[in-house]
Amino acid sequence: MPTSKDVAQAAGVAQSTVSYVLSGKRPISEKTRKKVEDAIQQLTYQPNAGARALASRKTRVIGLVIPFIPELHMASIMEFVSVIASTARLYDHDILLVTEDEGAPGLQRVVGQQICDGLILMQVEGDDERLPVVRNLHVPVVLIGIPRDPSGLVCIDADFEMAGEQCVQDLAAAGHTVISVLDWQREVVDRHVNYVERFMAGTNKAAESLGVKVVHLPGGTDRDVIADSVDKALAETTGVPAFIAPDGTAQDVLRRALSSRGLTPGKDVSVIGSASPTLAELQPIPLSTIDLRPAEVSRRAVKIVCDLLQSDSRGPTESLELVPTAITHRSSTLRPSPGA
Amino acid sequence: MPTSKDVAQAAGVAQSTVSYVLSGKRPISEKTRKKVEDAIQQLTYQPNAGARALASRKTRVIGLVIPFIPELHMASIMEFVSVIASTARLYDHDILLVTEDEGAPGLQRVVGQQICDGLILMQVEGDDERLPVVRNLHVPVVLIGIPRDPSGLVCIDADFEMAGEQCVQDLAAAGHTVISVLDWQREVVDRHVNYVERFMAGTNKAAESLGVKVVHLPGGTDRDVIADSVDKALAETTGVPAFIAPDGTAQDVLRRALSSRGLTPGKDVSVIGSASPTLAELQPIPLSTIDLRPAEVSRRAVKIVCDLLQSDSRGPTESLELVPTAITHRSSTLRPSPGA
DNA sequence: ACTCAACGTCGAAGCGTATCGACGAAGCGC
DNA sequence: GCGCTTCGTCGATACGCTTCGACGTTGAGT
């Protein structure tokens, strides 16, 4: 592998000049720049990341802590991961995977060994055990998800409360007076993942202001649980029943339960699921969805870390961003009745 | 951040001694080792990755090239990613994400800048444009998937041919004489991903030796396509129909098409889907599955790279490993009739 | 014509680790 | 008791880059 010294030699300049051509941190004459760039081309020189990191104290790597619990909707997690990795490249950074099972020590490891310049944590719980550690890490950390106490932390997430409101408003506008909301899986609820509560709060708020009734029911992927929830919902409803299934994993089971009871979404029942535009395409039926904007959340998370990295802010930072959500109508919900 | 020099000072030894304590590459007396380890503890010393990489010419990082095309079954991709990351830690390595859209230049980048010591590529196509580059990279590369010409490459994958055989054998044993196989999505088939062909070959081979009929039909997630395929299959079948859906994305749509025709899996139709044990749990019905062993494939891929890394083999290596698959019976298939 | 400020380039000093050769101290056989 | 190996430690150097201070060169201003 050629080094910058080889390039310097080939171009007839000093090694430091090569470095300045690459970094642009000092003015270089057009003539010299050309000589150096030609030499780089010819030798197919690429700077050594280790040496660069050692000298500059920047690795240009961001650690991404990913969850893998089957109860989460993996397709959507993957969308986060993928967009985060692509976006990081736009900022000339790379992504290092850290699995959630490494826990807090894992964070200390990658930061302590200076493998990463910053971190992004996914699936942050209400009282995440890693939070105290995060607060004391001297590198930028962005949380995807809002913990119970976000003080001293930088957080971003979809606006789940808005999402809840939008779903209820939408169904109310279509004439539904009783709306059933399937909860996330027990495993998720029990972790006090804050978005569950925010979503539910949104549905309640909208229900109150619109004078409709919202019924919360157990969700998940267990067939019997869902069947039970559906039966309860049907019992509570006089008109056309409506369901909101914000948890991606519950959608298939719900659809199945409805269809086995002879109910067709968009005809004798309304269903709003959750999916990004990308994933909605793959649904077995044209599902009306609430888009929780995983791609946008991912992009912003990366931007925030990179901005913090650049501003080199060592002081404690704190911020909270909520990304607006949006409903997309497909044929699984009733149209608003103009007469209503 | 403390350095090894600080540790040396605190322990009253030379810096090189600290290094030898950590690496174990030279004998160290019990007394000295203890002093050094205490100092490390006290200072919470962690070696600097950049400096280590620079001096040792090893980064302890493996690049993982991930696909993100919606047509793939993302939940299963995520299972690969997650297991690969965890396994890498067992070998004291980390995983750097490289997205597929960086293409061949992306590989040259991470290897050229010496960000990684080795690579794992997922979703390798039959005539992958990256193969010529891979052959000339002077680092270990493991492909998950088998290209058309695997010469000079190290490949691993599930044994899709075995999987195809097992599915057909199983359904034949349950008394089915006509078996319909849903193909992968067009987008996947058109990329000549080799596992598609291997799976189909397996089904044909078994069909021939068992004297049953295998019908190949278009798959994917398009409702109309699947509906069409189901109708064709039903027309071809006299007894109880049987379906194999090796592509995870097609399963939901297939189930829906069957149920809307009044067919119940395990009763008047047999269905074998594809899922790892982890993911099978989350299916809306107890689906009999072919397990394509993503976790095992992942573990072995990591092991192979790490072994190659250790043996430091610069010479061209070539190998091909197939991981045996297995069928798990749940209630979506008929039981073998003892009288048959 | 002379001063002074850019401008462009160079040399050298680190950054923190791994590793090689050297060297004193023991332990062995004869 | 002598030379010899083995053990345990040290000092020095190399790894490839960034960055700082220094220095020669121009061109503008007076």
Side-chain angles (χ1 to χ4, degrees):
Chain A
M1 296 264 177
T3 70
S4 62
K5 201 193 286 182
D6 298 329
V7 173
Q9 199 159 13
V13 300
Q15 181 268 328
S16 55
T17 303
V18 175
S19 180
Y20 286 122
V21 168
L22 253 24
S23 72
K25 295 201 176 170
R26 287 209 179 162
I28 298 286
S29 71
E30 205 46 55
K31 209 180 72 185
T32 310
R33 153 172 289 113
K34 175 117 185 51
K35 280 194 300 184
V36 171
E37 281 169 352
D38 287 351
I40 288 178
Q41 283 275 321
Q42 195 137 33
L43 299 176
T44 65
Y45 164 75
Q46 298 195 253
N48 178 296
R52 194 202 278 260
L54 181 55
S56 69
R57 316 177 134 283
K58 307 236 156 189
T59 63
R60 306 195 140 286
V61 170
I62 297 167
L64 173 65
V65 187
I66 54 164
F68 185 72
I69 54 173
E71 285 78 19
L72 293 177
H73 197 220
M74 279 305 143
S76 113
I77 302 282
M78 193 64 200
E79 189 164 359
F80 278 96
V81 172
S82 179
V83 174
I84 287 174
S86 301
T87 308
R89 287 304 305 142
L90 299 181
Y91 292 89
D92 200 19
H93 280 254
D94 275 296
I95 294 295
L96 188 93
L97 275 186
V98 182
T99 53
E100 204 176 59
D101 47 353
E102 278 203 70
L107 308 185
Q108 310 196 122
R109 181 178 71 83
V110 291
V111 171
Q113 299 187 4
Q114 301 182 53
I115 303 180
C116 309
D117 298 334
L119 288 174
I120 298 177
L121 304 209
M122 293 179 63
Q123 190 68 17
V124 175
E125 300 174 19
D127 295 293
D128 205 294
E129 49 128 13
R130 298 166 296 186
L131 295 183
V133 173
V134 166
R135 287 202 178 82
N136 285 315
L137 287 176
H138 294 172
V139 300
V141 182
V142 172
L143 311 183
I144 298 184
I146 319 283
R148 190 185 307 281
D149 170 19
S151 66
L153 299 170
V154 178
C155 311
I156 182 166
D157 206 350
D159 190 338
F160 277 83
E161 185 169 347
M162 175 190 278
E165 288 184 55
Q166 288 173 329
C167 289
V168 169
Q169 279 163 3
D170 194 77
L171 291 171
H176 296 281
T177 52
V178 178
I179 296 164
S180 308
V181 184
L182 292 187
D183 213 329
W184 271 262
Q185 300 214 31
R186 273 216 72 74
E187 289 80 0
V188 177
V189 176
D190 289 348
R191 294 175 90 189
H192 294 292
V193 190
N194 170 288
Y195 57 66
V196 174
E197 292 151 30
R198 283 183 286 140
F199 186 88
M200 296 309 172
T203 56
N204 293 338
K205 190 169 151 192
E208 202 165 326
S209 79
L210 295 170
V212 299
K213 185 171 167 196
V214 163
V215 185
H216 296 279
L217 295 165
T221 55
D222 187 297
R223 286 168 288 280
D224 300 332
V225 173
I226 295 286
D228 234 52
S229 292
V230 168
D231 287 335
K232 274 196 204 124
L234 297 182
E236 297 249 11
T237 316
T238 49
V240 179
F243 289 89
I244 305 175
D247 179 5
T249 61
Q251 293 168 14
D252 296 333
V253 191
L254 172 61
R255 258 198 324 274
R256 189 166 175 77
L258 292 175
S259 106
S260 76
R261 281 161 185 71
L263 298 172
T264 305
K267 217 174 108 208
D268 16 58
V269 58
S270 282
V271 177
I272 297 183
S274 139
S276 67
T278 314
L279 295 176
E281 292 288 314
L282 301 173
Q283 288 294 321
I285 64 166
L287 187 67
S288 296
T289 53
I290 178 81
D291 176 8
L292 295 167
R293 316 290 308 285
E296 178 62 16
V297 172
S298 300
R299 276 190 291 266
R300 291 214 209 166
V302 174
K303 179 177 184 341
I304 295 171
V305 191
C306 290
D307 287 351
L308 287 173
L309 244 33
Q310 206 153 30
S311 70
D312 208 38
S313 68
R314 287 276 158 263
T317 326
E318 178 175 329
S319 73
L320 201 157
E321 260 185 56
L322 293 178
V323 176
T325 57
I327 287 215
T328 305
H329 285 273
R330 296 191 188 78
S331 61
S332 71
T333 39
L334 298 188
R335 299 269 189 75
S337 45
Chain B
M1 295 264 177
T3 70
S4 62
K5 202 192 285 182
D6 298 329
V7 173
Q9 198 158 13
V13 300
Q15 179 269 327
S16 55
T17 301
V18 175
S19 181
Y20 285 122
V21 167
L22 253 26
S23 72
K25 294 199 176 174
R26 286 207 180 163
I28 298 287
S29 70
E30 205 46 55
K31 209 180 74 188
T32 312
R33 153 172 291 112
K34 176 119 183 51
K35 278 193 300 184
V36 171
E37 282 169 351
D38 287 351
I40 289 178
Q41 283 274 322
Q42 196 136 32
L43 298 176
T44 63
Y45 164 75
Q46 297 195 253
N48 178 297
R52 194 202 278 259
L54 181 56
S56 68
R57 316 180 135 282
K58 306 238 156 188
T59 64
R60 306 194 140 286
V61 170
I62 298 167
L64 174 65
V65 186
I66 54 164
F68 185 74
I69 53 174
E71 285 78 20
L72 293 177
H73 197 219
M74 278 307 143
S76 113
I77 302 283
M78 194 64 200
E79 188 164 0
F80 278 97
V81 172
S82 178
V83 173
I84 287 173
S86 301
T87 309
R89 288 304 304 143
L90 300 181
Y91 292 90
D92 201 19
H93 280 254
D94 275 295
I95 293 295
L96 188 92
L97 275 187
V98 183
T99 53
E100 204 176 59
D101 47 353
E102 278 204 70
L107 309 186
Q108 307 194 124
R109 180 178 71 82
V110 292
V111 171
Q113 299 188 3
Q114 301 181 56
I115 303 180
C116 310
D117 298 334
L119 287 173
I120 298 178
L121 304 209
M122 292 180 65
Q123 189 70 14
V124 175
E125 300 175 18
D127 295 294
D128 206 294
E129 48 129 12
R130 298 167 296 186
L131 295 183
V133 172
V134 166
R135 287 200 177 84
N136 285 316
L137 287 176
H138 292 171
V139 300
V141 181
V142 171
L143 312 182
I144 298 185
I146 319 281
R148 191 186 303 285
D149 171 18
S151 66
L153 299 170
V154 178
C155 310
I156 182 165
D157 206 351
D159 190 338
F160 278 82
E161 186 168 346
M162 176 192 275
E165 287 184 56
Q166 289 173 328
C167 289
V168 169
Q169 279 164 3
D170 194 77
L171 292 170
H176 297 280
T177 52
V178 178
I179 296 165
S180 308
V181 184
L182 292 187
D183 213 329
W184 272 262
Q185 300 213 31
R186 272 217 73 73
E187 289 80 359
V188 177
V189 175
D190 288 349
R191 294 175 90 189
H192 293 291
V193 190
N194 170 289
Y195 57 67
V196 174
E197 291 150 31
R198 285 182 284 139
F199 186 88
M200 295 309 172
T203 57
N204 292 337
K205 190 169 150 193
E208 202 165 325
S209 80
L210 295 170
V212 300
K213 185 172 169 195
V214 163
V215 185
H216 296 278
L217 295 164
T221 55
D222 187 295
R223 286 168 286 282
D224 299 332
V225 173
I226 295 286
D228 234 52
S229 291
V230 168
D231 288 334
K232 275 196 202 124
L234 297 181
E236 296 250 11
T237 316
T238 49
V240 179
F243 289 88
I244 306 176
D247 178 5
T249 62
Q251 292 169 13
D252 296 332
V253 191
L254 171 62
R255 256 198 326 274
R256 189 166 176 76
L258 293 175
S259 104
S260 76
R261 281 162 185 71
L263 297 173
T264 306
K267 216 173 111 211
D268 17 56
V269 57
S270 282
V271 177
I272 297 184
S274 139
S276 66
T278 313
L279 294 176
E281 291 288 315
L282 301 174
Q283 288 294 320
I285 64 165
L287 188 67
S288 297
T289 54
I290 178 81
D291 176 9
L292 295 166
R293 316 290 309 284
E296 178 62 15
V297 171
S298 301
R299 277 191 291 266
R300 290 214 210 168
V302 174
K303 179 178 184 340
I304 295 170
V305 192
C306 291
D307 287 352
L308 286 173
L309 245 32
Q310 205 154 30
S311 71
D312 208 38
S313 68
R314 287 275 159 264
T317 326
E318 179 175 328
S319 72
L320 202 159
E321 260 185 57
L322 293 177
V323 176
T325 57
I327 288 216
T328 306
H329 285 273
R330 296 191 187 80
S331 61
S332 71
T333 39
L334 298 189
R335 299 268 189 77
S337 46

